[in-house]
Amino acid sequence: MHIKVLYFARIKEAINYSSEDVNLPDDVESITALKHWLAQRGEVWANLFSGQLVVRAAINHNLVDDLATFDDGDEVAFFPPVTGG
Amino acid sequence: MVKVQTEDFDVGMVLAAMRHGNPSIGAMVSFVGLVRDLNDNASVTTLTLEHYPDMTEKSLQAIVDQAKHRWELLDVVVIHRVGTLKPTDQIVLVVVTSAHRQAAFLACEFVMDYLKTQAPFWKKETSPQGAHWVEAKTSDDEAQARWTQ
């Protein structure tokens, strides 16, 4: 499955880019599984996505919890808890 | 109306435009959030707001729709700035109009509490000691949670 992944704020700064198109294995279809998959990429990714940091997610511009699943072509975003206002 | 913009806004002009030709408005409540010079005991030189452009206005509109569903409101305006700001600058404006004051007071606070915890904005502060991302506050989560009790 192909999806687009976006990163914001301190997550974007840590990995040094803001978006990518990824091709996922068949068993990666939830936010939890995607975080786990990203955390395998190396130390920086493990620090961000293996659970020490609170990372919120959105699928197609809607806030979701980690159990949410996505489909081919979806846009998934990862970001820290929001601090606007 | 919800809007995300880099430019400043004129509260007086927004309020005047909202009441113009609308004699059914009996109450108008507005909130303006400002950049403070001190946060967590560090002096703030600049505050930069990042957001998720494709999601931000949609998320603000969803919050406004919830407020309109919950109270009898005539209109709601939310303007939120992004980019780099400095102490005393305006960050956000929420204006709610209704026939009577109670709905307008409550809805204005509801919109701000939800905006603080759900709208995709992130603040980065610069001080003489360097730059850092502002941490989310549990008090903001608690403020939002009381509306669901």
Side-chain angles (χ1 to χ4, degrees), chain A residues 26-39:
Chain A
D26 287 347
D27 59 339
V28 179
E29 52 186 13
S30 69
I31 296 296
T32 301
L34 179 56
K35 283 181 173 179
H36 184 73
W37 186 78
L38 290 170

Side-chain angles (χ1 to χ4, degrees), chain A residues 6-13 56 58 60-63 75-85, chain B residues 49-52 54-55 58 80 91-92 112 115-124 133-136:
Chain A
L6 305 187
Y7 308 95
F8 292 92
R10 78 178 75 206
I11 298 172
K12 176 181 73 178
E13 277 189 357
R56 303 252 188 264
N60 298 333
H61 318 125
N62 294 306
L63 275 180
E75 179 174 302
V76 174
F78 288 112
F79 41 80
V82 302
T83 55
Chain B
L49 275 138
E50 179 179 329
H51 74 127
Y52 180 178
D54 289 337
M55 177 174 171
K58 181 177 166 184
H80 201 299
I91 305 173
V92 60
M112 272 311 300
L115 183 156
K116 281 267 185 190
T117 52
Q118 308 217 322
F121 294 99
W122 301 276
K123 286 179 181 148
K124 189 177 195 180
W133 291 98
V134 173
E135 297 292 338

Side-chain angles (χ1 to χ4, degrees), chain B residues 51-69:
Chain B
H51 74 127
Y52 180 178
D54 289 337
M55 177 174 171
T56 320
E57 290 192 355
K58 181 177 166 184
S59 148
L60 293 174
Q61 189 61 54
I63 295 167
V64 168
D65 291 346
Q66 283 183 68
K68 285 181 170 170
H69 184 72

Side-chain angles (χ1 to χ4, degrees), chain A residues 51-80:
Chain A
Q52 302 98 313
L53 206 68
V54 179
V55 176
R56 303 252 188 264
I59 298 176
N60 298 333
H61 318 125
N62 294 306
L63 275 180
V64 294
D65 63 35
D66 281 8
L67 297 176
T69 57
F70 40 81
D71 295 310
D72 191 56
D74 281 354
E75 179 174 302
V76 174
F78 288 112
F79 41 80

Side-chain angles (χ1 to χ4, degrees), chain B:
Chain B
M1 190 267 286
V2 302
K3 206 168 174 200
V4 177
Q5 61 187 41
T6 52
E7 317 87 74
D8 198 8
F9 47 79
D10 182 325
V11 178
M13 280 177 64
V14 174
L15 299 191
M18 287 176 78
R19 72 169 201 272
H20 181 75
N22 283 308
S24 54
I25 297 175
M28 176 176 259
V29 171
S30 63
F31 170 85
V32 181
L34 305 173
V35 182
R36 289 189 301 147
D37 65 349
L38 205 64
N39 192 24
D40 295 333
N41 295 317
S43 63
V44 175
T45 320
T46 60
L47 177 74
T48 300
L49 275 138
E50 179 179 329
H51 74 127
Y52 180 178
D54 289 337
M55 177 174 171
T56 320
E57 290 192 355
K58 181 177 166 184
S59 148
L60 293 174
Q61 189 61 54
I63 295 167
V64 168
D65 291 346
Q66 283 183 68
K68 285 181 170 170
H69 184 72
R70 194 158 171 158
W71 292 281
E72 277 200 33
L73 308 177
L74 292 165
D75 198 9
V76 180
V77 166
V78 179
I79 302 175
H80 201 299
R81 295 177 71 194
V82 292
T84 299
L85 307 175
K86 59 184 191 310
T88 76
D89 280 353
Q90 305 184 114
I91 305 173
V92 60
L93 170 66
V94 176
V95 189
V96 181
T97 59
S98 59
H100 303 287
R101 73 183 183 285
Q102 195 193 20
F105 272 124
L106 291 171
C108 189
E109 201 168 13
F110 173 94
V111 169
M112 272 311 300
D113 286 346
Y114 273 71
L115 183 156
K116 281 267 185 190
T117 52
Q118 308 217 322
F121 294 99
W122 301 276
K123 286 179 181 148
K124 189 177 195 180
E125 287 175 350
T126 307
S127 71
Q129 289 77 42
H132 68 275
W133 291 98
V134 173
E135 297 292 338
K137 295 184 178 71
T138 50
S139 58
D140 287 334
D141 290 328
E142 289 158 10
Q144 190 225 299
R146 73 202 158 107
W147 296 104
T148 58
Q149 282 157 13

